[in-house]
């Protein structure tokens, strides 16, 4: 509504990518999904919030990822891929989620099954960034900026 008649490229990081997947707007032409945590069952780093999270952590983590103080239920957002309104560039770090281990940085939260689904999806271009975990903007800022530029160029070209 703020940009009537203009092409829009939407960018979502982590849980924001889950939101962007469901956007429907007249000007929306492309999207960049950064490290979308499509499935929570194997997301062991998120379980660390039980002991290390800030006060109120469960108000974010439990509804989205199903991980609460005493429960853990698997959440699966992969069906949302089949409702993408526009082409999406999905970028993920290549530091694998599994196995569980001590890590200097959070690994990618995109599990192996999700990577396979993303790589074969007709509306998705999937790219892995080498040597990067979940925080792509901080760990690979130049590549992240270039991905945003490419998504903007796609939006303008589709206008």
């Amino acid at each position: 509504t703020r940009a009537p008649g203009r092409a829009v490229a939407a960018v979502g990081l982590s849980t924001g990518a889950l939101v962007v997947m469901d956007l429907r707007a007249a000007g929306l032409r492309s999207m960049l999904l950064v490290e979308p945590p499509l499935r929570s069952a194997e997301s062991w780093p998120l379980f660390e919030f039980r002991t290390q999270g800030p006060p109120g952590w469960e108000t974010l983590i439990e509804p989205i990822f199903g991980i609460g103080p005493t429960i853990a239920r698997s959440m699966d957002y992969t069906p949302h891929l089949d409702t993408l309104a526009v082409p999406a560039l999905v970028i993920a770090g290549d530091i694998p989620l599994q196995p569980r281990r001590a890590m200097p940085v959070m690994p990618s939260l995109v599990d192996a099954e999700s990577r396979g689904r993303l790589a074969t999806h007709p509306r998705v271009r999937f790219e892995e960034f080498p040597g990067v975990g979940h925080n792509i903007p901080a760990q690979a800022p130049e590549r992240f900026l270039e991905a945003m530029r490419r998504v903007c160029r796609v939006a303008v070209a589709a206008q």
Side-chain angles (χ1 to χ4, degrees):
T1 60
R2 291 186 175 264
R6 295 181 64 187
V8 175
V11 178
L13 289 75
S14 190
T15 55
L18 301 176
V19 174
V20 168
M21 287 171 52
D22 287 335
L23 285 180
R24 304 293 180 267
L28 184 63
R29 298 289 181 263
S30 63
M31 55 182 65
L32 173 60
L33 308 175
V34 182
E35 274 286 309
L38 297 174
R39 298 169 358 109
S40 68
E42 298 181 20
S43 296
W44 60 267
L46 298 176
F47 285 84
E48 301 299 319
F49 278 93
R50 286 181 166 168
T51 58
Q52 299 175 21
W57 66 267
E58 57 280 323
T59 60
L60 171 66
I61 302 299
E62 188 170 353
I64 297 170
F65 297 108
I67 300 168
T70 59
I71 63 155
R73 62 186 193 288
S74 179
M75 303 296 279
D76 185 353
Y77 295 100
T78 55
H80 295 254
L81 290 172
D82 296 329
T83 65
L84 290 175
V86 297
L89 171 59
V90 179
I91 58 176
D94 77 342
I95 298 175
L97 180 59
Q98 298 300 331
R100 188 175 190 150
R101 68 227 183 256
M103 294 291 303
V105 298
M106 184 181 286
S108 173
L109 292 182
V110 182
D111 66 14
E113 184 176 317
S114 297
R115 286 170 191 274
R117 179 99 184 256
L118 290 163
T120 60
H121 196 282
R123 294 207 96 166
V124 170
R125 178 182 171 133
F126 179 64
E127 297 179 9
E128 289 182 323
F129 285 13
V132 177
H134 185 64
N135 193 350
I136 289 175
Q139 295 167 6
E142 294 83 16
R143 292 201 62 200
F144 172 66
L145 180 59
E146 178 52 33
M148 288 198 320
R149 287 181 177 136
R150 285 188 284 149
V151 168
C152 289
R153 285 193 293 267
V154 168
V156 170
Q159 180 68 19

